[in-house]
Amino acid sequence: LASRGHHLVSSATTTGGGGVTSQGGVTVTSGGSEVHEVVVWDLRTGDIITTLDISPLPCAVLSTAFNHNGHLLVTGATDGMIRVYSDFQCIMGWQAHALPVTTVMFGSDEMYVYSYARGEIKQWKTSPISQCTRTIEF
């Protein structure tokens, strides 16, 4: 992956650490400050499955997380946006933080997305529309 100009994006840290895989370990996401995109790879073949649009502004994706069955993917980026993809199509995105979003994850019930930007954790209800339901500052 690194030879193609990408680095693995971890769902737990901003510096990578193995990337994030979907259920069954079939796909992995990569991104980075130099590529301005998220690429979904097939681990069995090394082939690119798809490239995800991170518009409206070019930015670097710092964190990704799949839901339990691999159909939903959430990303956090340097523009402070969270984007949610269903079967690799962007279905929603919102301005989550004023600073880069370095960690994102789904809650266990998948009704919530959690995000972290320096000194701030937010809980977001994803249905029917993105709504911040809790903020923890430290």
Side-chain angles (χ1 to χ4, degrees):
L1 299 179
S3 66
R4 298 185 187 184
H6 297 262
H7 70 268
L8 296 179
V9 179
S10 170
S11 63
T13 69
T14 61
T15 57
V20 58
T21 58
S22 68
Q23 182 179 0
V26 176
T27 56
V28 65
T29 59
S30 67
S33 59
E34 298 174 11
V35 293
H36 307 293
E37 62 187 9
V38 174
V39 178
V40 182
W41 303 81
D42 184 321
L43 291 179
R44 293 173 292 186
T45 64
D47 293 334
I48 294 173
I49 295 171
T50 189
T51 301
L52 304 180
D53 179 22
I54 55 171
S55 60
L57 302 172
C59 62
V61 172
L62 301 176
S63 180
T64 63
F66 284 100
N67 72 335
H68 78 283
N69 65 12
H71 289 287
L72 295 176
L73 174 70
V74 62
T75 64
T78 55
D79 61 357
M81 293 279 294
I82 292 175
R83 294 169 180 86
V84 179
Y85 299 83
S86 175
D87 295 320
F88 307 125
Q89 298 294 318
C90 189
I91 58 170
M92 67 174 67
W94 63 92
Q95 188 67 45
H97 298 270
L99 297 171
V101 178
T102 56
T103 304
V104 291
M105 65 184 294
F106 284 98
S108 59
D109 61 4
E110 298 180 4
M111 294 286 296
Y112 295 96
V113 167
Y114 296 88
S115 62
Y116 172 79
R118 189 172 49 177
E120 185 176 71
I121 298 171
K122 291 188 176 183
Q123 174 183 334
W124 301 91
K125 186 169 181 153
T126 57
S127 179
I129 192 165
S130 58
Q131 174 185 4
C132 184
T133 58
R134 187 173 183 194
T135 300
I136 301 170
E137 295 181 15
F138 50 96

